[in-house]
């Protein structure tokens, strides 16, 4: 995942709404979201896409309704690689029985084995974020939060726009009956326009790359937004997860929908 926005509302009928884009090189193979069969190494089934190069994932959920989401970090980490793949981290959380706090503390001694990352975790306790740059982490407060390839709520233009989009949709959903399917037709993270040079962040990549990466939905011949995922969590424990593949020009395929009671 490289751009995501969360509407976190503990106690609400829908305590968590999430929309996320995965941005990646087009020549890096991946399977779309599906249920992974349990194995001896991974006894808990997970719903996730699969990176066929390193074997991990960027966003995953389990039958209990726990969710893990990963982005990389650009500033300060460009060109650095880790001994282990970041894509292991969402799977590692979902494959252990511990709560978020215990998992977080168990990972901290090994955090420098991975390339720069953000990891967002959700379970019955709440919504938690930590990263290579902020290993102490923090429980996110109720409200709308955005994340790309820097710290949580870093005000890059596309992140600020994502939070505005979610706020607008929040107001609409509070006044109009809606279903989880409606998330996929809401205009969140779908803007293909790049930012002017005056508003670009400086993350260490060449200026032409900064321009390309400044769009919410990235379109280019080498690197693009590959899929978009929507997650709605009901207070009853019911989850609905939808994922749509995106073509290099930003055209969205029909979403696949997964729903279950945790």
């Amino acid at each position: 995942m490289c751009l995501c926005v969360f509407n976190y509302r503990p106690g609400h009928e829908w305590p968590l709404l999430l929309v996320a884009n995965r941005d990646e090189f087009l020549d890096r193979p991946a399977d779309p979201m599906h249920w992974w069969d349990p194995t001896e190494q991974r006894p808990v089934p997970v719903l996730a896409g699969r990176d066929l190069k390193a074997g991990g994932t960027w966003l995953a959920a389990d039958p209990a309704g726990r969710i893990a989401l990963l982005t990389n970090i650009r500033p300060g980490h460009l060109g650095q690689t880790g001994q282990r793949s970041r894509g292991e981290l969402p799977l590692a959380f979902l494959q252990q029985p511990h709560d978020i706090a215990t998992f977080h503390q168990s990972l901290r001694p090994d955090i420098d084995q991975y390339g720069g990352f953000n990891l967002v975790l959700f379970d019955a306790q709440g919504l938690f974020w930590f990263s290579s740059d902020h290993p102490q982490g923090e429980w996110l407060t109720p409200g709308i939060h955005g994340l790309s390839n820097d710290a949580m709520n870093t005000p890059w233009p596309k992140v600020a726009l994502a939070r505005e989009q979610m706020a607008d949709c929040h107001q609409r959903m509070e006044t109009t009956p809606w279903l989880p399917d409606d998330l996929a037709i809401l205009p969140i993270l779908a803007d293909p326009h790049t930012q002017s040079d005056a508003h670009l962040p400086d993350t260490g990549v060449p200026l032409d790359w900064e321009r390309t990466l400044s769009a919410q939905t990235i379109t280019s011949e080498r690197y693009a937004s590959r899929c978009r995922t929507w997650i709605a969590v009901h207070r009853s424990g019911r989850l609905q997860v939808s994922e749509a593949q995106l073509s290099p020009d930003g055209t969205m395929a029909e979403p696949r929908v997964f729903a279950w009671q945790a």
Side-chain angles (χ1 to χ4, degrees), residues 100 104 108 119-121 126-131 134-141 145 151-153:
I100 287 174
H104 169 237
R108 288 191 66 176
L119 190 62
V120 180
L121 306 174
L127 190 64
F128 188 80
W129 162 75
F130 70 103
S131 74
H134 300 272
Q136 72 279 4
E138 64 180 83
W139 292 97
L140 297 184
T141 57
H145 301 275
M152 183 68 69
N153 294 323

mmCIF file with all atom_site columns, all heavy atoms in Angstrom, residues 100 104 108 119-121 126-131 134-141 145 151-153:
data_model
loop_
_atom_site.group_PDB
_atom_site.id
_atom_site.type_symbol
_atom_site.label_atom_id
_atom_site.label_alt_id
_atom_site.label_comp_id
_atom_site.label_asym_id
_atom_site.label_entity_id
_atom_site.label_seq_id
_atom_site.pdbx_PDB_ins_code
_atom_site.Cartn_x
_atom_site.Cartn_y
_atom_site.Cartn_z
_atom_site.occupancy
_atom_site.B_iso_or_equiv
_atom_site.pdbx_formal_charge
_atom_site.auth_seq_id
_atom_site.auth_comp_id
_atom_site.auth_asym_id
_atom_site.auth_atom_id
_atom_site.pdbx_PDB_model_num
ATOM 1   N N   . ILE A 1 100 ? -2.122 -6.539 19.801 1.00 0.00 ? 100 ILE A N   1
ATOM 2   C CA  . ILE A 1 100 ? -1.277 -5.605 19.077 1.00 0.00 ? 100 ILE A CA  1
ATOM 3   C C   . ILE A 1 100 ? -0.078 -5.184 19.911 1.00 0.00 ? 100 ILE A C   1
ATOM 4   O O   . ILE A 1 100 ? 1.065  -5.159 19.422 1.00 0.00 ? 100 ILE A O   1
ATOM 5   C CB  . ILE A 1 100 ? -2.099 -4.374 18.638 1.00 0.00 ? 100 ILE A CB  1
ATOM 6   C CG1 . ILE A 1 100 ? -3.032 -4.755 17.494 1.00 0.00 ? 100 ILE A CG1 1
ATOM 7   C CG2 . ILE A 1 100 ? -1.184 -3.221 18.222 1.00 0.00 ? 100 ILE A CG2 1
ATOM 8   C CD1 . ILE A 1 100 ? -3.983 -3.643 17.080 1.00 0.00 ? 100 ILE A CD1 1
ATOM 9   N N   . HIS A 1 104 ? 3.759  -5.729 18.811 1.00 0.00 ? 104 HIS A N   1
ATOM 10  C CA  . HIS A 1 104 ? 4.606  -4.562 18.574 1.00 0.00 ? 104 HIS A CA  1
ATOM 11  C C   . HIS A 1 104 ? 5.894  -4.657 19.382 1.00 0.00 ? 104 HIS A C   1
ATOM 12  O O   . HIS A 1 104 ? 7.004  -4.444 18.865 1.00 0.00 ? 104 HIS A O   1
ATOM 13  C CB  . HIS A 1 104 ? 3.816  -3.295 18.933 1.00 0.00 ? 104 HIS A CB  1
ATOM 14  C CG  . HIS A 1 104 ? 4.637  -2.057 18.980 1.00 0.00 ? 104 HIS A CG  1
ATOM 15  N ND1 . HIS A 1 104 ? 4.712  -1.256 20.104 1.00 0.00 ? 104 HIS A ND1 1
ATOM 16  C CD2 . HIS A 1 104 ? 5.443  -1.468 18.061 1.00 0.00 ? 104 HIS A CD2 1
ATOM 17  C CE1 . HIS A 1 104 ? 5.503  -0.237 19.865 1.00 0.00 ? 104 HIS A CE1 1
ATOM 18  N NE2 . HIS A 1 104 ? 5.958  -0.336 18.641 1.00 0.00 ? 104 HIS A NE2 1
ATOM 19  N N   . ARG A 1 108 ? 10.021 -4.942 17.960 1.00 0.00 ? 108 ARG A N   1
ATOM 20  C CA  . ARG A 1 108 ? 10.929 -3.800 18.065 1.00 0.00 ? 108 ARG A CA  1
ATOM 21  C C   . ARG A 1 108 ? 12.415 -4.165 18.037 1.00 0.00 ? 108 ARG A C   1
ATOM 22  O O   . ARG A 1 108 ? 13.205 -3.466 17.381 1.00 0.00 ? 108 ARG A O   1
ATOM 23  C CB  . ARG A 1 108 ? 10.599 -2.973 19.310 1.00 0.00 ? 108 ARG A CB  1
ATOM 24  C CG  . ARG A 1 108 ? 9.297  -2.193 19.184 1.00 0.00 ? 108 ARG A CG  1
ATOM 25  C CD  . ARG A 1 108 ? 9.117  -1.194 20.291 1.00 0.00 ? 108 ARG A CD  1
ATOM 26  N NE  . ARG A 1 108 ? 10.130 -0.130 20.226 1.00 0.00 ? 108 ARG A NE  1
ATOM 27  C CZ  . ARG A 1 108 ? 10.141 0.920  21.043 1.00 0.00 ? 108 ARG A CZ  1
ATOM 28  N NH1 . ARG A 1 108 ? 9.206  1.054  21.979 1.00 0.00 ? 108 ARG A NH1 1
ATOM 29  N NH2 . ARG A 1 108 ? 11.074 1.838  20.942 1.00 0.00 ? 108 ARG A NH2 1
ATOM 30  N N   . LEU A 1 119 ? 3.496  0.377  9.489  1.00 0.00 ? 119 LEU A N   1
ATOM 31  C CA  . LEU A 1 119 ? 2.600  -0.751 9.704  1.00 0.00 ? 119 LEU A CA  1
ATOM 32  C C   . LEU A 1 119 ? 1.416  -0.281 10.540 1.00 0.00 ? 119 LEU A C   1
ATOM 33  O O   . LEU A 1 119 ? 1.606  0.292  11.620 1.00 0.00 ? 119 LEU A O   1
ATOM 34  C CB  . LEU A 1 119 ? 3.323  -1.895 10.415 1.00 0.00 ? 119 LEU A CB  1
ATOM 35  C CG  . LEU A 1 119 ? 2.573  -3.235 10.507 1.00 0.00 ? 119 LEU A CG  1
ATOM 36  C CD1 . LEU A 1 119 ? 2.301  -3.799 9.116  1.00 0.00 ? 119 LEU A CD1 1
ATOM 37  C CD2 . LEU A 1 119 ? 3.366  -4.247 11.328 1.00 0.00 ? 119 LEU A CD2 1
ATOM 38  N N   . VAL A 1 120 ? 0.214  -0.495 10.028 1.00 0.00 ? 120 VAL A N   1
ATOM 39  C CA  . VAL A 1 120 ? -1.022 -0.146 10.726 1.00 0.00 ? 120 VAL A CA  1
ATOM 40  C C   . VAL A 1 120 ? -1.736 -1.441 11.076 1.00 0.00 ? 120 VAL A C   1
ATOM 41  O O   . VAL A 1 120 ? -1.935 -2.306 10.213 1.00 0.00 ? 120 VAL A O   1
ATOM 42  C CB  . VAL A 1 120 ? -1.925 0.747  9.862  1.00 0.00 ? 120 VAL A CB  1
ATOM 43  C CG1 . VAL A 1 120 ? -3.211 1.097  10.621 1.00 0.00 ? 120 VAL A CG1 1
ATOM 44  C CG2 . VAL A 1 120 ? -1.195 2.016  9.447  1.00 0.00 ? 120 VAL A CG2 1
ATOM 45  N N   . LEU A 1 121 ? -2.120 -1.580 12.347 1.00 0.00 ? 121 LEU A N   1
ATOM 46  C CA  . LEU A 1 121 ? -2.745 -2.802 12.841 1.00 0.00 ? 121 LEU A CA  1
ATOM 47  C C   . LEU A 1 121 ? -4.089 -2.466 13.475 1.00 0.00 ? 121 LEU A C   1
ATOM 48  O O   . LEU A 1 121 ? -4.218 -1.474 14.198 1.00 0.00 ? 121 LEU A O   1
ATOM 49  C CB  . LEU A 1 121 ? -1.843 -3.474 13.879 1.00 0.00 ? 121 LEU A CB  1
ATOM 50  C CG  . LEU A 1 121 ? -0.402 -3.770 13.438 1.00 0.00 ? 121 LEU A CG  1
ATOM 51  C CD1 . LEU A 1 121 ? 0.410  -4.305 14.608 1.00 0.00 ? 121 LEU A CD1 1
ATOM 52  C CD2 . LEU A 1 121 ? -0.374 -4.757 12.272 1.00 0.00 ? 121 LEU A CD2 1
ATOM 53  N N   . GLY A 1 126 ? -8.164 -1.581 19.114 1.00 0.00 ? 126 GLY A N   1
ATOM 54  C CA  . GLY A 1 126 ? -8.115 -0.283 18.461 1.00 0.00 ? 126 GLY A CA  1
ATOM 55  C C   . GLY A 1 126 ? -7.254 -0.303 17.217 1.00 0.00 ? 126 GLY A C   1
ATOM 56  O O   . GLY A 1 126 ? -6.972 -1.365 16.639 1.00 0.00 ? 126 GLY A O   1
ATOM 57  N N   . LEU A 1 127 ? -6.821 0.883  16.819 1.00 0.00 ? 127 LEU A N   1
ATOM 58  C CA  . LEU A 1 127 ? -6.049 1.093  15.596 1.00 0.00 ? 127 LEU A CA  1
ATOM 59  C C   . LEU A 1 127 ? -4.682 1.640  16.002 1.00 0.00 ? 127 LEU A C   1
ATOM 60  O O   . LEU A 1 127 ? -4.595 2.687  16.656 1.00 0.00 ? 127 LEU A O   1
ATOM 61  C CB  . LEU A 1 127 ? -6.794 2.078  14.694 1.00 0.00 ? 127 LEU A CB  1
ATOM 62  C CG  . LEU A 1 127 ? -6.297 2.277  13.263 1.00 0.00 ? 127 LEU A CG  1
ATOM 63  C CD1 . LEU A 1 127 ? -6.427 0.986  12.444 1.00 0.00 ? 127 LEU A CD1 1
ATOM 64  C CD2 . LEU A 1 127 ? -7.093 3.400  12.593 1.00 0.00 ? 127 LEU A CD2 1
ATOM 65  N N   . PHE A 1 128 ? -3.621 0.941  15.595 1.00 0.00 ? 128 PHE A N   1
ATOM 66  C CA  . PHE A 1 128 ? -2.270 1.260  16.049 1.00 0.00 ? 128 PHE A CA  1
ATOM 67  C C   . PHE A 1 128 ? -1.352 1.427  14.851 1.00 0.00 ? 128 PHE A C   1
ATOM 68  O O   . PHE A 1 128 ? -1.433 0.682  13.873 1.00 0.00 ? 128 PHE A O   1
ATOM 69  C CB  . PHE A 1 128 ? -1.746 0.128  16.938 1.00 0.00 ? 128 PHE A CB  1
ATOM 70  C CG  . PHE A 1 128 ? -0.437 0.416  17.618 1.00 0.00 ? 128 PHE A CG  1
ATOM 71  C CD1 . PHE A 1 128 ? -0.392 1.201  18.758 1.00 0.00 ? 128 PHE A CD1 1
ATOM 72  C CD2 . PHE A 1 128 ? 0.748  -0.113 17.134 1.00 0.00 ? 128 PHE A CD2 1
ATOM 73  C CE1 . PHE A 1 128 ? 0.822  1.455  19.399 1.00 0.00 ? 128 PHE A CE1 1
ATOM 74  C CE2 . PHE A 1 128 ? 1.964  0.130  17.762 1.00 0.00 ? 128 PHE A CE2 1
ATOM 75  C CZ  . PHE A 1 128 ? 2.001  0.922  18.905 1.00 0.00 ? 128 PHE A CZ  1
ATOM 76  N N   . TRP A 1 129 ? -0.453 2.424  14.935 1.00 0.00 ? 129 TRP A N   1
ATOM 77  C CA  . TRP A 1 129 ? 0.529  2.673  13.874 1.00 0.00 ? 129 TRP A CA  1
ATOM 78  C C   . TRP A 1 129 ? 1.919  2.745  14.471 1.00 0.00 ? 129 TRP A C   1
ATOM 79  O O   . TRP A 1 129 ? 2.112  3.335  15.536 1.00 0.00 ? 129 TRP A O   1
ATOM 80  C CB  . TRP A 1 129 ? 0.207  3.982  13.160 1.00 0.00 ? 129 TRP A CB  1
ATOM 81  C CG  . TRP A 1 129 ? 1.378  4.536  12.372 1.00 0.00 ? 129 TRP A CG  1
ATOM 82  C CD1 . TRP A 1 129 ? 1.858  4.088  11.173 1.00 0.00 ? 129 TRP A CD1 1
ATOM 83  C CD2 . TRP A 1 129 ? 2.225  5.626  12.744 1.00 0.00 ? 129 TRP A CD2 1
ATOM 84  N NE1 . TRP A 1 129 ? 2.940  4.825  10.780 1.00 0.00 ? 129 TRP A NE1 1
ATOM 85  C CE2 . TRP A 1 129 ? 3.198  5.786  11.729 1.00 0.00 ? 129 TRP A CE2 1
ATOM 86  C CE3 . TRP A 1 129 ? 2.260  6.493  13.846 1.00 0.00 ? 129 TRP A CE3 1
ATOM 87  C CZ2 . TRP A 1 129 ? 4.192  6.763  11.779 1.00 0.00 ? 129 TRP A CZ2 1
ATOM 88  C CZ3 . TRP A 1 129 ? 3.254  7.472  13.899 1.00 0.00 ? 129 TRP A CZ3 1
ATOM 89  C CH2 . TRP A 1 129 ? 4.197  7.592  12.875 1.00 0.00 ? 129 TRP A CH2 1
ATOM 90  N N   . PHE A 1 130 ? 2.881  2.130  13.802 1.00 0.00 ? 130 PHE A N   1
ATOM 91  C CA  . PHE A 1 130 ? 4.282  2.359  14.120 1.00 0.00 ? 130 PHE A CA  1
ATOM 92  C C   . PHE A 1 130 ? 5.096  2.203  12.845 1.00 0.00 ? 130 PHE A C   1
ATOM 93  O O   . PHE A 1 130 ? 4.598  1.753  11.812 1.00 0.00 ? 130 PHE A O   1
ATOM 94  C CB  . PHE A 1 130 ? 4.777  1.428  15.234 1.00 0.00 ? 130 PHE A CB  1
ATOM 95  C CG  . PHE A 1 130 ? 4.907  -0.022 14.855 1.00 0.00 ? 130 PHE A CG  1
ATOM 96  C CD1 . PHE A 1 130 ? 6.141  -0.588 14.584 1.00 0.00 ? 130 PHE A CD1 1
ATOM 97  C CD2 . PHE A 1 130 ? 3.778  -0.849 14.814 1.00 0.00 ? 130 PHE A CD2 1
ATOM 98  C CE1 . PHE A 1 130 ? 6.271  -1.929 14.277 1.00 0.00 ? 130 PHE A CE1 1
ATOM 99  C CE2 . PHE A 1 130 ? 3.899  -2.184 14.502 1.00 0.00 ? 130 PHE A CE2 1
ATOM 100 C CZ  . PHE A 1 130 ? 5.145  -2.730 14.229 1.00 0.00 ? 130 PHE A CZ  1
ATOM 101 N N   . SER A 1 131 ? 6.353  2.613  12.907 1.00 0.00 ? 131 SER A N   1
ATOM 102 C CA  . SER A 1 131 ? 7.174  2.622  11.703 1.00 0.00 ? 131 SER A CA  1
ATOM 103 C C   . SER A 1 131 ? 8.641  2.500  12.063 1.00 0.00 ? 131 SER A C   1
ATOM 104 O O   . SER A 1 131 ? 9.026  2.554  13.238 1.00 0.00 ? 131 SER A O   1
ATOM 105 C CB  . SER A 1 131 ? 6.950  3.916  10.915 1.00 0.00 ? 131 SER A CB  1
ATOM 106 O OG  . SER A 1 131 ? 7.590  5.011  11.548 1.00 0.00 ? 131 SER A OG  1
ATOM 107 N N   . HIS A 1 134 ? 9.399  5.724  13.674 1.00 0.00 ? 134 HIS A N   1
ATOM 108 C CA  . HIS A 1 134 ? 8.665  5.943  14.922 1.00 0.00 ? 134 HIS A CA  1
ATOM 109 C C   . HIS A 1 134 ? 8.385  4.578  15.559 1.00 0.00 ? 134 HIS A C   1
ATOM 110 O O   . HIS A 1 134 ? 7.230  4.147  15.654 1.00 0.00 ? 134 HIS A O   1
ATOM 111 C CB  . HIS A 1 134 ? 7.359  6.695  14.667 1.00 0.00 ? 134 HIS A CB  1
ATOM 112 C CG  . HIS A 1 134 ? 7.554  8.044  14.047 1.00 0.00 ? 134 HIS A CG  1
ATOM 113 N ND1 . HIS A 1 134 ? 7.758  9.188  14.793 1.00 0.00 ? 134 HIS A ND1 1
ATOM 114 C CD2 . HIS A 1 134 ? 7.601  8.429  12.754 1.00 0.00 ? 134 HIS A CD2 1
ATOM 115 C CE1 . HIS A 1 134 ? 7.907  10.222 13.980 1.00 0.00 ? 134 HIS A CE1 1
ATOM 116 N NE2 . HIS A 1 134 ? 7.819  9.791  12.741 1.00 0.00 ? 134 HIS A NE2 1
ATOM 117 N N   . PRO A 1 135 ? 9.433  3.892  16.000 1.00 0.00 ? 135 PRO A N   1
ATOM 118 C CA  . PRO A 1 135 ? 9.244  2.525  16.491 1.00 0.00 ? 135 PRO A CA  1
ATOM 119 C C   . PRO A 1 135 ? 8.424  2.438  17.766 1.00 0.00 ? 135 PRO A C   1
ATOM 120 O O   . PRO A 1 135 ? 7.894  1.370  18.075 1.00 0.00 ? 135 PRO A O   1
ATOM 121 C CB  . PRO A 1 135 ? 10.679 2.027  16.719 1.00 0.00 ? 135 PRO A CB  1
ATOM 122 C CG  . PRO A 1 135 ? 11.497 3.272  16.896 1.00 0.00 ? 135 PRO A CG  1
ATOM 123 C CD  . PRO A 1 135 ? 10.859 4.300  16.025 1.00 0.00 ? 135 PRO A CD  1
ATOM 124 N N   . GLN A 1 136 ? 8.308  3.561  18.505 1.00 0.00 ? 136 GLN A N   1
ATOM 125 C CA  . GLN A 1 136 ? 7.495  3.522  19.727 1.00 0.00 ? 136 GLN A CA  1
ATOM 126 C C   . GLN A 1 136 ? 6.013  3.387  19.403 1.00 0.00 ? 136 GLN A C   1
ATOM 127 O O   . GLN A 1 136 ? 5.245  2.862  20.199 1.00 0.00 ? 136 GLN A O   1
ATOM 128 C CB  . GLN A 1 136 ? 7.738  4.776  20.585 1.00 0.00 ? 136 GLN A CB  1
ATOM 129 C CG  . GLN A 1 136 ? 7.149  6.046  20.027 1.00 0.00 ? 136 GLN A CG  1
ATOM 130 C CD  . GLN A 1 136 ? 8.001  6.690  18.931 1.00 0.00 ? 136 GLN A CD  1
ATOM 131 O OE1 . GLN A 1 136 ? 9.036  6.136  18.523 1.00 0.00 ? 136 GLN A OE1 1
ATOM 132 N NE2 . GLN A 1 136 ? 7.597  7.859  18.470 1.00 0.00 ? 136 GLN A NE2 1
ATOM 133 N N   . GLY A 1 137 ? 5.600  3.876  18.244 1.00 0.00 ? 137 GLY A N   1
ATOM 134 C CA  . GLY A 1 137 ? 4.225  3.728  17.803 1.00 0.00 ? 137 GLY A CA  1
ATOM 135 C C   . GLY A 1 137 ? 3.237  4.564  18.584 1.00 0.00 ? 137 GLY A C   1
ATOM 136 O O   . GLY A 1 137 ? 3.574  5.222  19.573 1.00 0.00 ? 137 GLY A O   1
ATOM 137 N N   . GLU A 1 138 ? 1.977  4.518  18.147 1.00 0.00 ? 138 GLU A N   1
ATOM 138 C CA  . GLU A 1 138 ? 0.909  5.230  18.849 1.00 0.00 ? 138 GLU A CA  1
ATOM 139 C C   . GLU A 1 138 ? -0.449 4.651  18.474 1.00 0.00 ? 138 GLU A C   1
ATOM 140 O O   . GLU A 1 138 ? -0.667 4.177  17.358 1.00 0.00 ? 138 GLU A O   1
ATOM 141 C CB  . GLU A 1 138 ? 0.922  6.720  18.515 1.00 0.00 ? 138 GLU A CB  1
ATOM 142 C CG  . GLU A 1 138 ? 0.638  7.073  17.072 1.00 0.00 ? 138 GLU A CG  1
ATOM 143 C CD  . GLU A 1 138 ? 0.665  8.576  16.831 1.00 0.00 ? 138 GLU A CD  1
ATOM 144 O OE1 . GLU A 1 138 ? 1.778  9.107  16.645 1.00 0.00 ? 138 GLU A OE1 1
ATOM 145 O OE2 . GLU A 1 138 ? -0.412 9.191  16.834 1.00 0.00 ? 138 GLU A OE2 1
ATOM 146 N N   . TRP A 1 139 ? -1.352 4.664  19.468 1.00 0.00 ? 139 TRP A N   1
ATOM 147 C CA  . TRP A 1 139 ? -2.750 4.322  19.215 1.00 0.00 ? 139 TRP A CA  1
ATOM 148 C C   . TRP A 1 139 ? -3.403 5.530  18.561 1.00 0.00 ? 139 TRP A C   1
ATOM 149 O O   . TRP A 1 139 ? -3.297 6.652  19.061 1.00 0.00 ? 139 TRP A O   1
ATOM 150 C CB  . TRP A 1 139 ? -3.459 3.963  20.515 1.00 0.00 ? 139 TRP A CB  1
ATOM 151 C CG  . TRP A 1 139 ? -2.974 2.689  21.111 1.00 0.00 ? 139 TRP A CG  1
ATOM 152 C CD1 . TRP A 1 139 ? -2.047 2.542  22.106 1.00 0.00 ? 139 TRP A CD1 1
ATOM 153 C CD2 . TRP A 1 139 ? -3.366 1.369  20.730 1.00 0.00 ? 139 TRP A CD2 1
ATOM 154 N NE1 . TRP A 1 139 ? -1.847 1.222  22.375 1.00 0.00 ? 139 TRP A NE1 1
ATOM 155 C CE2 . TRP A 1 139 ? -2.634 0.469  21.545 1.00 0.00 ? 139 TRP A CE2 1
ATOM 156 C CE3 . TRP A 1 139 ? -4.253 0.861  19.784 1.00 0.00 ? 139 TRP A CE3 1
ATOM 157 C CZ2 . TRP A 1 139 ? -2.778 -0.916 21.443 1.00 0.00 ? 139 TRP A CZ2 1
ATOM 158 C CZ3 . TRP A 1 139 ? -4.395 -0.515 19.679 1.00 0.00 ? 139 TRP A CZ3 1
ATOM 159 C CH2 . TRP A 1 139 ? -3.671 -1.385 20.498 1.00 0.00 ? 139 TRP A CH2 1
ATOM 160 N N   . LEU A 1 140 ? -4.065 5.327  17.435 1.00 0.00 ? 140 LEU A N   1
ATOM 161 C CA  . LEU A 1 140 ? -4.672 6.437  16.711 1.00 0.00 ? 140 LEU A CA  1
ATOM 162 C C   . LEU A 1 140 ? -5.959 6.867  17.394 1.00 0.00 ? 140 LEU A C   1
ATOM 163 O O   . LEU A 1 140 ? -6.765 6.032  17.831 1.00 0.00 ? 140 LEU A O   1
ATOM 164 C CB  . LEU A 1 140 ? -4.943 6.042  15.266 1.00 0.00 ? 140 LEU A CB  1
ATOM 165 C CG  . LEU A 1 140 ? -3.699 5.699  14.437 1.00 0.00 ? 140 LEU A CG  1
ATOM 166 C CD1 . LEU A 1 140 ? -4.084 5.405  12.989 1.00 0.00 ? 140 LEU A CD1 1
ATOM 167 C CD2 . LEU A 1 140 ? -2.660 6.813  14.490 1.00 0.00 ? 140 LEU A CD2 1
ATOM 168 N N   . THR A 1 141 ? -6.129 8.149  17.483 1.00 0.00 ? 141 THR A N   1
ATOM 169 C CA  . THR A 1 141 ? -7.340 8.705  18.085 1.00 0.00 ? 141 THR A CA  1
ATOM 170 C C   . THR A 1 141 ? -8.496 8.609  17.105 1.00 0.00 ? 141 THR A C   1
ATOM 171 O O   . THR A 1 141 ? -8.290 8.512  15.887 1.00 0.00 ? 141 THR A O   1
ATOM 172 C CB  . THR A 1 141 ? -7.109 10.173 18.467 1.00 0.00 ? 141 THR A CB  1
ATOM 173 O OG1 . THR A 1 141 ? -6.715 10.900 17.288 1.00 0.00 ? 141 THR A OG1 1
ATOM 174 C CG2 . THR A 1 141 ? -6.024 10.291 19.525 1.00 0.00 ? 141 THR A CG2 1
ATOM 175 N N   . HIS A 1 145 ? -7.656 9.682  9.398  1.00 0.00 ? 145 HIS A N   1
ATOM 176 C CA  . HIS A 1 145 ? -6.207 9.673  9.320  1.00 0.00 ? 145 HIS A CA  1
ATOM 177 C C   . HIS A 1 145 ? -5.774 9.257  7.917  1.00 0.00 ? 145 HIS A C   1
ATOM 178 O O   . HIS A 1 145 ? -6.426 8.419  7.278  1.00 0.00 ? 145 HIS A O   1
ATOM 179 C CB  . HIS A 1 145 ? -5.605 8.698  10.335 1.00 0.00 ? 145 HIS A CB  1
ATOM 180 C CG  . HIS A 1 145 ? -5.970 8.996  11.753 1.00 0.00 ? 145 HIS A CG  1
ATOM 181 N ND1 . HIS A 1 145 ? -5.280 9.911  12.527 1.00 0.00 ? 145 HIS A ND1 1
ATOM 182 C CD2 . HIS A 1 145 ? -6.970 8.507  12.544 1.00 0.00 ? 145 HIS A CD2 1
ATOM 183 C CE1 . HIS A 1 145 ? -5.836 9.970  13.732 1.00 0.00 ? 145 HIS A CE1 1
ATOM 184 N NE2 . HIS A 1 145 ? -6.856 9.130  13.763 1.00 0.00 ? 145 HIS A NE2 1
ATOM 185 N N   . ALA A 1 151 ? 5.420  9.581  7.635  1.00 0.00 ? 151 ALA A N   1
ATOM 186 C CA  . ALA A 1 151 ? 4.720  9.330  8.888  1.00 0.00 ? 151 ALA A CA  1
ATOM 187 C C   . ALA A 1 151 ? 3.210  9.530  8.746  1.00 0.00 ? 151 ALA A C   1
ATOM 188 O O   . ALA A 1 151 ? 2.731  10.184 7.808  1.00 0.00 ? 151 ALA A O   1
ATOM 189 C CB  . ALA A 1 151 ? 5.271  10.246 9.978  1.00 0.00 ? 151 ALA A CB  1
ATOM 190 N N   . MET A 1 152 ? 2.466  8.971  9.688  1.00 0.00 ? 152 MET A N   1
ATOM 191 C CA  . MET A 1 152 ? 1.016  9.120  9.708  1.00 0.00 ? 152 MET A CA  1
ATOM 192 C C   . MET A 1 152 ? 0.638  10.595 9.683  1.00 0.00 ? 152 MET A C   1
ATOM 193 O O   . MET A 1 152 ? 1.194  11.411 10.421 1.00 0.00 ? 152 MET A O   1
ATOM 194 C CB  . MET A 1 152 ? 0.451  8.444  10.960 1.00 0.00 ? 152 MET A CB  1
ATOM 195 C CG  . MET A 1 152 ? -1.060 8.474  11.070 1.00 0.00 ? 152 MET A CG  1
ATOM 196 S SD  . MET A 1 152 ? -1.916 7.468  9.834  1.00 0.00 ? 152 MET A SD  1
ATOM 197 C CE  . MET A 1 152 ? -1.484 5.809  10.379 1.00 0.00 ? 152 MET A CE  1
ATOM 198 N N   . ASN A 1 153 ? -0.307 10.933 8.811  1.00 0.00 ? 153 ASN A N   1
ATOM 199 C CA  . ASN A 1 153 ? -0.867 12.277 8.677  1.00 0.00 ? 153 ASN A CA  1
ATOM 200 C C   . ASN A 1 153 ? 0.151  13.325 8.226  1.00 0.00 ? 153 ASN A C   1
ATOM 201 O O   . ASN A 1 153 ? -0.089 14.535 8.397  1.00 0.00 ? 153 ASN A O   1
ATOM 202 C CB  . ASN A 1 153 ? -1.551 12.727 9.975  1.00 0.00 ? 153 ASN A CB  1
ATOM 203 C CG  . ASN A 1 153 ? -2.780 11.895 10.286 1.00 0.00 ? 153 ASN A CG  1
ATOM 204 O OD1 . ASN A 1 153 ? -3.521 11.508 9.387  1.00 0.00 ? 153 ASN A OD1 1
ATOM 205 N ND2 . ASN A 1 153 ? -2.999 11.600 11.555 1.00 0.00 ? 153 ASN A ND2 1
#
